[in-house]
């Protein structure tokens, strides 16, 4: 993969980078009348490398009884706020580790770090999603203990992360009531590949035109197996059901 | 722009194969992209142009076969064309179906010298 990926621990800011050549390179295609040309069948999945690595991650997580969640959403729907509240409430019951993915800044990992949970920040640079390779490297640096819950906060983006399995046990998609109830119609792939759907910022329902029943109906059309939690990460409303579900993962 | 990382994956796989086959040039890369794969053709072609490639791949033309999406109803087994995930079965009007075609992201073949 081509993105520049800076990945570091909050304390020492280790960064690892990969080759990047994003400049344009126009070129002319010569037609090939060459009789030596051969057509070779390949039949390979384009994302095979990511899928294989994701399965390796998954096997590692299962062996160590690490329950892994991949949190995906549009930017700003409340992933980090939810995580901070969740860790603060459950940290006596559950050992949380966090991988934070953002294009830039350590802001989110600093917010998580303040709760006392172990966290590593992956800065993807221009990359719009995390991939299984980044998770593999991050987990090695983070040293996730057995019997813990590992939460991966993906880059805020409802399109690209849908394609990249990280090896998680559950994909959790968050939509907030300020985004419009037709999000599942606009970004069906993300809802199709998720297991849990959190509807956040319900405290703002009186001020916005967001029809929860409609949002759920749209999301269920993309995925019949979705399980919903309606929450306000700010006021705590509805969070107990979510906490119970997390406790049940142990 | 996940099309950029899709492109890098394509180029890696093709280069690996081309080197194994002792190819001098790759003329064409044929891929299958499902209608529901979440990958956009134009963005992919654009990413392909923007990526600097090795001499081996520098003249490769990307040929995209768009694969239509098809579903099989889990209730009555009827097979039908779909254009999104919300497809209703035209026979029994159920929504529980398997999309068995249309999510492909696959390299079919390469043409080499
Ligand atoms: N009213 C209200 N605001 C919330 C709620 N949850 C989060 N917010 C606010 O929404 C804004 C974005 O929250 P974050 O937690 O940073 O969202 P995020 O999804 O982590 O954002 P990115 O990582 O940038 O994609 C902040 O101003 C939060 O205070 C909620 O339940 N109700
Ligand atoms: Mg965040
Ligand atoms: Zn049917």
């Amino acid at each position: 993969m081509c993105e520049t990926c800076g990945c570091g621990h909050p304390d020492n800011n280790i960064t690892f980078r990969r080759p990047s050549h994003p400049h344009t390179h126009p070129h002319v295609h010569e037609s090939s009348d060459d009789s030596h040309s051969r057509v070779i069948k390949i039949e390979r999945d384009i994302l095979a490398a990511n899928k294989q690595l994701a399965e390796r991650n998954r096997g590692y997580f299962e062996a160590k009884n690490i329950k892994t969640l991949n949190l995906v959403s549009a930017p700003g729907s409340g992933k980090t706020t939810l995580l901070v509240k969740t860790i603060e409430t459950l940290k006596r019951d559950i050992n949380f580790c966090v991988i934070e993915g953002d294009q830039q800044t350590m802001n989110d990992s600093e917010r998580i770090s303040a709760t006392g949970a172990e966290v590593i920040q992956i800065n993807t640079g221009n990359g719009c999603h995390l991939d299984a390779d980044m998770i593999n490297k991050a987990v090695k640096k983070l040293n996730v203990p057995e019997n813990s819950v590992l939460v991966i906060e993906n880059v805020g983006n409802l399109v690209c992360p849908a394609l990249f399995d990280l090896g998680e046990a559950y994909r959790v998609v968050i939509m907030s009531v300020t985004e419009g109830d037709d999000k599942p119609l606009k970004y069906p792939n993300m809802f199709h590949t998720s297991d849990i759907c959190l509807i956040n910022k319900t405290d703002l329902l009186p001020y916005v035109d967001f029809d929860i029943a409609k949002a759920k109906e749209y999301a269920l059309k993309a995925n019949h197996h979705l399980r919903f939690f309606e929450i306000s990460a700010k006021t705590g409303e509805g969070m107990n059901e979510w906490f119970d579900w997390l406790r049940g993962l142990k | 722009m996940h099309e950029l990382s899709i492109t890098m994956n394509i180029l890696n796989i093709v280069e690996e194969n081309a080197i194994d086959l002792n190819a001098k040039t790759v003329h064409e890369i044929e891929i299958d992209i499902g209608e529901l794969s979440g990958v956009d053709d134009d963005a992919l072609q654009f990413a392909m142009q923007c990526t600097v490639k090795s001499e081996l791949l520098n003249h490769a033309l990307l040929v995209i076969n768009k694969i239509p999406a098809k579903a099989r109803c889990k209730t009555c087994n009827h097979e039908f064309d779909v254009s999104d995930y919300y497809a209703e079965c035209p026979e029994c009007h159920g929504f529980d179906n398997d999309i068995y075609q249309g999510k492909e992201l696959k390299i079919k073949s390469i043409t080499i010298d």
Side-chain angles (χ1 to χ4, degrees), chain A residues 38 40 42-44 184 224, chain B residues 86 95 105 107-108 110 112:
Chain A
R38 305 179 273 159
I40 311 285
I42 303 285
E43 301 283 343
R44 270 274 299 277
H224 304 278
Chain B
Y86 322 123
F95 278 98
L105 273 181
I107 301 176
K108 289 296 282 180
I110 54 176
I112 57 167

Side-chain angles (χ1 to χ4, degrees), chain A residues 187-203:
Chain A
Y187 303 97
N189 281 46
M190 191 57 99
F191 288 84
H192 185 70
T193 58
S194 291
D195 305 285
I196 306 284
C197 177
L198 300 181
I199 301 176
N200 188 32
K201 308 196 187 179
T202 53
D203 58 290

Side-chain angles (χ1 to χ4, degrees), chain B residues 73-78 80 89-94 96:
Chain B
C73 177
K74 284 189 184 172
T75 315
C76 75
N77 266 330
H78 183 67
F80 52 102
C89 173
E91 289 293 316
C92 74
H93 304 289
D96 204 9

Side-chain angles (χ1 to χ4, degrees), chain A residues 144-164:
Chain A
V144 184
E146 290 191 17
N147 306 315
S148 51
V149 171
L150 172 65
V151 187
I152 302 165
E153 180 180 333
N154 218 314
V155 179
N157 176 345
L158 275 174
V159 184
C160 310
L163 282 176
F164 294 84

Side-chain angles (χ1 to χ4, degrees), chain A residues 3-18 103-104 106 120-125 137 141:
Chain A
E3 306 96 329
T4 307
C5 158
C7 171
H9 194 271
D11 301 332
N12 45 20
N13 223 342
I14 305 160
T15 296
F16 55 87
R17 285 177 187 282
R18 292 187 287 180
Q103 289 199 328
Q104 302 288 344
M106 300 293 290
I120 188 166
Q121 177 83 47
I122 303 177
N123 285 135
T124 57
K137 293 193 168 95
K141 288 179 199 289

Side-chain angles (χ1 to χ4, degrees), chain A residues 76 78-81 100-102 108 111 153-154:
Chain A
K79 297 180 293 298
T80 310
T81 308
E100 277 293 337
D102 288 292
D108 284 0
R111 287 162 66 190
E153 180 180 333
N154 218 314

